[in-house]
Amino acid sequence: MHRTHNCGELRIQHVGTKVTLAGWVQRVRNKGGLIWVDLRDRYGLTQLIFEEGSTAKELLEKAASLGREFVIKSTGTVIERTSKNDKIPTGDIEVKVEELEVLNPAKIPPFLIEDDTDGGDDLRMKYRYLDLRRNVVRQKLQLRHRMMQETRKYMDGQDFIEVETPVLIKSTPEGARDFVVPSRVNPGEFYALPQSPQTFKQLLMVSGFDRYFQIVKCFRDEDLRADRQPEFTQIDCEMSFVTQEDVLSMFEGLTRHLFKQVKGIELEEVGRMTYADAMRLYGNDKPDLRFDMQFVELNDLAKGKGFGIFDQAELVVGICAKGAASYTRKQLDELTDWVKRPQIGAKGLVYVKFNEDGSLKSTVDKFYSQDDLGQWAEAFRAEPGDLMLVLSGDAKTVRKQLSELRLKMGEDLGLRDRSVFKPLWVVDFPLLEWDEETNRYHAMHHPFTSPKAEDIPLLDTDPGSVRANAYDLVINGVEIGGGSIRIHDRTTQQLMFKHLGFTEEEAQKQFGFLMEAFEYGAPPHGGIAFGFDRLCAIFGGSDSIRDYIAFPKNNSGRDVMIDSPSPISKDQLEELSIKLDVKAD
């Protein structure tokens, strides 16, 4: 081998040992007759020393010619450093070099390979293989590796079998857009890349596997953002002969295991909240519970006082920001401008300051007396020093707007501590949601989610009120995992397809294989899928999942390093029986 030790393992007890190290040159400090070289590899950094008088002239000159990111091999003796560095594990020693070999010189990199780099996002994405040399990025991928191993350890300990499912499957109309792959041997026909292995894991339950899991790559052709990539990884799981409670207990166990083994944290009790309560109290089906600020509805107190904006609104609702009455007029104007942005869409913002002297100051003093505002404060459970913020409008819209404002206030007031973890199970989701564009119901999760047995009669009379046997795991306002108890009989599955607008022919064409499988003894079953990239980002304290993926895409879905996607040749198109008709922008 090119080395006897790595660059992170030498300690004071190795003094006097002859060693060979190999790695990348982090930096060279040349003081004329004294040269230090910081040598780096995946495991750490070791200082090499070349000293005039005790180092051969040729070797000294060779060391002076080294540049950043040169790949070198050096042999020498470990000595104790006279000036020690307590910031690195190898800081008590250095290697006095006797032999030096340049294994590969390097061009000057386009950005500093340092934790605090001077490279922007686009540049680092283009040279991702260089970005991966940085400690901060490598540590994120090491965290991902650890979480993957601990997941497998837990699942194996619970008798789950890891089974790989196909990557080339059939396109289905529900959910996000599919990525499609043309078939050369079946001209005019296409495979789809899986958005999830949903039907396959259900078929594995029909097959009697009982407990399945897979750390699997999934694909969705949808708009991208910080927590979304066109290809992503799921911890995909399914169990037979279980109720919802069994699934929640099992995967709360996985979550606790990961926090304890990877972060050394004993997770507190995981709370439960219905979807209806989450929307009512937080305007969001993935509430961040690291801080309070629950919604307070003010219709009974705010309407009928002559303030037209409130009188005409379907809902008047607000939050109380503890200790924020000190906000200046400028800060409040900035908040008002913020909620008026197109991304939020509010028409305005009403505030009430609960001053330290007990008085109440509001933007609507003209319409509401101190007694009126005092009733508001009582509803908010506000105290002197607090700030009440109120929005109004269409109920669904205003709850969404206030949810965004709540999250902003939590951030601005320092309440979203990344070292605090507040997990929550959100349960009893609606089975169906109405889509204004298509003028029909769609499955909120997917078409195979089981309705609550007691709600099935409502499918014919009030479909929007039917609750699903579905659940999401939320941590700090991020949906980490979601799943459901599945439909396991043909009759109920056909009923579900009917209410989703499928004709019998369409249902048979798309999912006939699954419904037929249900007729061969399908057990009751259910499962969950965790967004593995998001879970890694939560553990690493990041908003973006990109740094937890070795070679991610940018916001346009492009890999700028390898320049993909890219055109293919005319010969390839002909072989695939594809004719392009691309319209110019």
Side-chain angles (χ1 to χ4, degrees), residues 3 17 20 39 82 109 117 148 169-170 210 240 261 282 285 292 294 311 327 331 398 401 404 446 452 476 479 554 582:
R3 60 190 178 188
T17 305
T20 298
L39 189 65
T82 54
T117 183
M148 198 170 278
I169 64 167
K170 185 175 187 175
D210 193 68
S240 290
Q261 298 302 321
Y282 300 99
D285 62 4
D292 191 15
Q294 288 186 354
D311 289 344
Y327 266 41
Q331 286 176 299
V398 78
Q401 293 166 347
E404 296 295 334
H446 54 63
K452 295 270 186 182
N476 294 358
E479 180 194 330
N554 67 13
V582 180

Side-chain angles (χ1 to χ4, degrees), residues 179-214:
F179 283 101
V180 294
V181 180
S183 170
R184 178 184 58 82
V185 295
N186 299 284
E189 296 186 325
F190 295 81
Y191 300 104
L193 302 182
Q195 295 185 31
S196 82
Q198 181 61 47
T199 54
F200 289 101
K201 65 183 180 182
Q202 290 191 248
L203 290 170
L204 284 169
M205 296 304 101
V206 178
S207 304
F209 274 67
D210 193 68
R211 293 187 174 189
Y212 141 93
F213 90 102
Q214 184 181 186

Side-chain angles (χ1 to χ4, degrees), residues 318-434:
I319 54 174
C320 179
K322 306 298 290 183
S326 58
Y327 266 41
T328 64
R329 179 59 186 266
K330 181 183 177 185
Q331 286 176 299
L332 291 167
D333 287 345
E334 287 172 349
L335 268 186
T336 302
D337 291 340
W338 189 86
V339 299
K340 286 182 175 180
R341 295 181 314 151
Q343 300 95 313
I344 308 299
K347 293 180 179 178
L349 173 67
V350 169
Y351 68 82
V352 182
K353 283 187 175 186
F354 200 153
N355 296 317
E356 295 291 352
D357 63 5
S359 64
L360 294 154
K361 176 63 179 172
S362 168
T363 42
V364 289
D365 287 339
K366 179 180 175 181
F367 300 95
Y368 299 92
S369 68
Q370 287 288 297
D371 285 344
D372 291 333
L373 296 177
Q375 291 180 329
W376 290 21
E378 188 176 335
F380 279 112
R381 296 182 183 176
E383 300 171 323
D386 294 348
L387 175 67
M388 293 161 271
L389 301 169
V390 182
L391 297 175
S392 63
D394 169 73
K396 184 177 180 180
T397 303
V398 78
R399 282 197 175 99
K400 185 176 180 181
Q401 293 166 347
L402 190 60
S403 172
E404 296 295 334
L405 179 59
R406 175 183 177 271
L407 293 174
K408 176 176 173 54
M409 293 304 296
E411 192 71 43
D412 291 352
L413 296 172
L415 303 175
R416 303 181 76 184
D417 186 344
R418 292 182 187 274
S419 66
V420 174
F421 300 94
K422 293 287 187 180
L424 173 73
W425 286 110
V426 179
V427 298
D428 292 354
F429 280 81
L431 182 72
L432 307 169
E433 58 184 344
W434 183 257

Side-chain angles (χ1 to χ4, degrees), residues 26-27 40 45 68-69 87-88 111-119 124 130-140 547:
Q26 181 76 17
R27 64 180 65 85
R40 182 197 75 240
L45 185 146
R68 280 180 176 268
E69 302 306 309
K87 293 183 173 61
I88 57 174
F111 54 86
L112 289 174
I113 312 297
E114 304 271 4
D115 287 358
D116 295 320
T117 183
D118 57 354
R124 289 187 291 108
L130 297 179
D131 196 33
L132 288 170
R133 293 181 186 175
R134 297 169 57 230
N135 286 327
V136 290
V137 181
R138 185 176 63 250
Q139 286 164 3
K140 288 178 170 64
D547 281 347

Side-chain angles (χ1 to χ4, degrees), residues 446-495:
H446 54 63
F448 317 108
T449 299
S450 170
K452 295 270 186 182
E454 61 270 29
D455 288 358
I456 289 178
L458 294 173
L459 278 170
D460 289 321
T461 58
D462 189 8
S465 296
V466 178
R467 294 167 301 159
N469 251 321
Y471 33 82
D472 280 356
L473 178 64
V474 175
I475 302 177
N476 294 358
V478 177
E479 180 194 330
I480 294 300
S484 65
I485 299 301
R486 322 301 187 187
I487 296 169
H488 67 278
D489 65 281
R490 181 173 190 130
T491 301
T492 307
Q493 189 63 72
Q494 283 180 317
L495 182 64

